[in-house]
Amino acid sequence: MNRITTDINLIVDELRNGHVVSLPTETVYGLAADATNNFAVEKIFKIKNRPFSHPLIMHVSSDWDLTQWVEQVPEYVVDLINSFWPGPLTFVLKLKKNSDISQFATANQNTIAIRCPDHPLAIEVLNRLGRPLVAPSANPFGKVSPTEAQHVIQDFAEDSFSILEGGRCSIGVESTILYCIDEHNCSILRQGSITRSEIQNFCNVIEPNNMSSIRISGNLKSHYQPQKNLFYFYSSDVSLIKSRLINLDNSYVLSFSLSFEKSEIDYLFSSDPKKAATDFYRQLRKADQSDKDIILIELPPETPEWNVLNDRIKKAGASCRYLV
Ligand code: TXA
Ligand code: MG
């Protein structure tokens, strides 16, 4: 049986002894293990049912010297680290040969993804352990990410590991991932709350070429999926949805605009993109647990501050146009 705990000593001991635990971060809860312990890292893949071809993000404390693990840290990455760490920004860097990081963590590639989480408990665990931790989101592979300890319990009812209680995640969506192998340019591999325009203040952001050779699971066409079928639509489709679509009574409707009557929807997200992001997975989980048959969700506006939610919704479902 899984258990939620507030005992940091227990969590650090378990990590030291090669166990997997769940830790809170500012983005989502992670399933963590000592990045240098092959057996421990392998367990994460088994628990999540994650293919071994999908590498993990390594979490470090903000003042640790990254050159222990990577060949070089481009100057713009140093500047980005100074501005955004601790925080939801992950860098993919060239892994040093003969590093002590488990090959399961890197999926045997010659790169490693690294970030420093902005959560006091995660930082304390890292500092007390003194070793980096790999931590994918604490959900079964391909499913909705957890933003509360209770979500982790629900998703892994059959497993037996400790979950450190750290409250609700303040950001609520996974970190922005930057591919930083080039000395001057970077590419965004996964959208997150740190936006392209914030990154462009530090370096050129170019389209990733040859993405297919970069194994990034958040980049699969479908991801972040609830159990129920989820269909999304544009605000411009609202009248079509109302007139032609299915019986709204059978649908759990999540909206980002005021184009519906209150009685027609189940939840209206905040018009503030950051607040809506914090709330997003929690509401998706509620929709999934409801007694409705399907989930209908309106896409937020197509402006940069809404990119991350547009990205997650499109990967979590299919267009409503298949239905009408
Ligand atoms: O906010 C986050 O990043 C959360 C919290 C727990 O820190 N973690 C997270 O991990 O979202 P996960 O495993 O759910 O997503 C990590 C993504 C995957 O899409 C993986 O393919 C990609 O990072 N990734 C990891 N290492 C990589 C590498 N070397 N090159 C390219 N992509 C990599
Ligand atoms: Mg994930």
Side-chain angles (χ1 to χ4, degrees):
M1 270 286 283
N2 276 337
R3 61 217 159 256
I4 297 179
T5 178
T6 53
D7 185 350
I8 290 221
N9 292 329
L10 173 89
I11 292 287
V12 174
D13 275 351
E14 292 194 344
L15 287 166
R16 213 169 261 139
N17 292 327
H19 296 296
V20 169
V21 302
S22 179
L23 291 181
T25 81
E26 80 285 26
T27 57
V28 299
Y29 273 72
L31 208 51
D34 177 349
T36 64
N37 182 330
N38 247 332
F39 288 111
V41 179
E42 188 183 12
K43 280 186 212 161
I44 290 183
F45 285 86
K46 293 191 169 147
I47 294 174
K48 271 189 69 110
N49 199 16
R50 180 181 179 109
F52 283 104
S53 55
H54 290 289
L56 307 178
I57 294 177
M58 184 168 93
H59 296 63
V60 297
S61 194
S62 62
D63 55 357
W64 290 356
D65 177 9
L66 299 187
T67 61
Q68 312 173 57
W69 303 292
V70 303
E71 294 276 344
Q72 58 149 6
V73 185
E75 235 166 80
Y76 67 86
V77 172
V78 175
D79 295 341
L80 283 163
I81 285 176
N82 288 335
S83 292
F84 293 107
W85 274 14
L89 188 57
T90 296
F91 303 99
V92 174
L93 298 166
K94 188 121 196 272
L95 182 69
K96 217 173 196 165
K97 283 198 184 91
N98 307 321
S99 88
D100 58 355
I101 303 305
S102 159
Q103 80 255 23
F104 289 118
T106 59
N108 263 325
Q109 298 182 107
N110 60 359
T111 57
I112 176 97
I114 307 181
R115 89 173 189 100
C116 170
D118 187 15
H119 192 293
L121 297 181
I123 297 278
E124 191 176 337
V125 170
L126 282 164
N127 284 332
R128 300 230 328 236
L129 186 71
R131 288 204 284 271
L133 289 170
V134 282
S137 51
N139 51 275
F141 183 67
K143 299 298 177 191
V144 179
S145 297
T147 53
E148 293 171 28
Q150 203 56 46
H151 295 164
V152 184
I153 289 271
Q154 287 160 7
D155 282 359
F156 295 100
E158 305 294 307
D159 289 278
S160 172
F161 55 80
S162 303
I163 301 157
L164 183 60
E165 176 59 76
R168 215 175 267 172
C169 302
S170 58
I171 302 272
V173 284
E174 304 82 352
S175 60
T176 304
I177 303 182
L178 288 186
Y179 193 70
C180 302
I181 300 305
D182 188 291
E183 238 178 280
H184 304 288
N185 308 301
C186 74
S187 301
I188 298 176
L189 297 185
R190 181 175 70 188
Q191 310 262 5
S193 61
I194 300 197
T195 60
R196 172 182 286 259
S197 64
E198 285 174 287
I199 294 157
Q200 274 167 337
N201 293 327
F202 298 85
C203 58
N204 292 327
V205 179
I206 57 172
E207 287 315 305
N209 51 16
N210 205 7
M211 270 294 253
S212 58
S213 70
I214 303 171
R215 291 188 298 224
I216 173 155
S217 56
N219 209 41
L220 296 174
K221 273 232 166 72
S222 75
H223 214 85
Y224 318 111
Q225 277 185 331
Q227 310 292 333
K228 289 190 185 2
N229 283 329
L230 179 147
F231 297 94
Y232 58 80
F233 56 93
Y234 295 84
S235 301
S236 55
D237 291 338
V238 168
S239 50
L240 181 74
I241 296 288
K242 286 189 189 183
S243 63
R244 298 248 328 264
L245 196 65
I246 37 185
N247 180 358
L248 277 183
D249 286 347
N250 282 341
S251 318
Y252 194 98
V253 185
L254 296 155
S255 168
F256 284 87
S257 77
L258 298 169
S259 345
F260 288 92
E261 302 294 325
K262 252 198 175 151
S263 61
E264 289 171 320
I265 59 167
D266 294 277
Y267 191 73
L268 175 65
F269 282 102
S270 167
S271 56
D272 172 343
K274 288 202 186 317
K275 283 193 187 145
T278 304
D279 202 19
F280 179 67
Y281 288 132
R282 177 182 151 77
Q283 295 306 332
L284 213 48
R285 281 169 178 269
K286 272 195 172 172
D288 222 9
Q289 283 158 8
S290 73
D291 55 6
K292 303 289 176 72
D293 295 334
I294 62 167
I295 304 171
L296 283 180
I297 182 164
E298 183 181 9
L299 291 167
E302 298 231 27
T303 49
E305 67 276 16
W306 289 102
N307 274 353
V308 60
L309 286 189
N310 272 305
D311 170 73
R312 298 303 190 270
I313 294 170
K314 285 180 182 164
K315 283 179 183 142
S319 167
C320 238
R321 290 181 185 168
Y322 292 120
L323 285 180
V324 290

